[in-house]
Amino acid sequence: MDGRTTLATTKSWAASNPFTIQAMATKSHYPVDEREVELSAIRAQGAGGQNVNKVSSAVHLRFDIAASSLPVEIKERLLCLSDSRITLDGVLVLKAQQHRTQEMNRSDALARLQEVVDSVAVPPKARRATKPTYGSKQRRLEGKSQRSSIKSSRGKVQD
């Protein structure tokens, strides 16, 4: 074996890799349907030698949040994220170029998309307003008075 990977070995690796989107879909409550994801191969950026200019190994993933089959509350939470990867049209754009093969970058992009969806799957807890306790108020005022006495003693000495 000369060290080069072929498409067949890459596909077999992706099938046996526990971190592919199929394995993650079993753990997730809201799996992303791959038919709703638009994937396109592009050339990776950065250094890569002679191979970088002729191989499109990076993957550009586009996921239209509004047109997806996710539940409405998940869509709303995704659209409310202050994430620069979400366009004004509500399309989540991910670029995967960590790996040397297109198949590995594809599975990486899909896994990252699933992570974003899973991050908003749990609704945030409602914040209940609470009052500070009497003891905490006393400790705060005591600290303020100590600090005040320290600062007042820094002034000019009175004769």
Side-chain angles (χ1 to χ4, degrees):
M1 182 119 183
D2 58 358
R4 288 181 274 174
T5 58
T6 62
L7 186 58
T9 58
T10 305
K11 285 185 179 179
S12 65
W13 175 87
S16 65
N17 186 7
F19 298 108
T20 58
I21 191 70
Q22 291 84 14
M24 290 190 69
T26 59
K27 296 178 186 177
S28 174
H29 294 289
Y30 302 103
V32 176
D33 190 4
E34 288 189 38
R35 294 174 291 192
E36 298 173 350
V37 177
E38 179 185 327
L39 293 165
S40 57
I42 57 174
R43 283 194 227 140
Q45 292 176 328
Q50 298 172 351
N51 201 39
V52 73
N53 294 324
K54 59 185 180 179
V55 177
S56 298
S57 61
V59 173
H60 211 229
L61 180 142
R62 295 178 63 82
F63 179 66
D64 191 359
I65 297 169
S68 68
S69 62
L70 293 172
V72 176
E73 61 271 4
I74 301 292
K75 290 181 190 180
E76 289 173 356
R77 283 188 227 126
L78 276 172
L79 291 171
C80 288
L81 285 177
S82 59
D83 196 338
S84 62
R85 299 174 295 184
I86 299 175
T87 65
L88 295 175
D89 299 330
V91 177
L92 178 66
V93 179
L94 294 174
K95 183 177 182 182
Q97 59 180 5
Q98 291 286 344
H99 304 285
R100 289 180 57 95
T101 62
Q102 184 177 346
E103 187 61 35
M104 290 172 68
N105 282 328
R106 178 182 179 279
S107 64
D108 180 42
L110 289 169
R112 286 175 32 210
L113 171 64
Q114 189 63 53
E115 285 177 13
V116 172
V117 172
D118 290 343
S119 70
V120 298
V122 178
K125 286 187 176 180
R127 185 188 180 280
R128 287 192 333 226
T130 58
K131 292 183 179 179
T133 63
Y134 177 77
S136 66
K137 286 181 187 176
Q138 295 302 316
R139 286 189 297 272
R140 182 180 63 86
L141 293 175
E142 180 64 29
K144 286 170 75 74
S145 64
Q146 283 179 357
R147 191 74 183 153
S148 172
S149 66
I150 290 172
K151 287 188 173 188
S152 65
S153 67
R154 290 182 187 158
K156 290 188 177 183
V157 177
Q158 300 291 329
D159 285 332

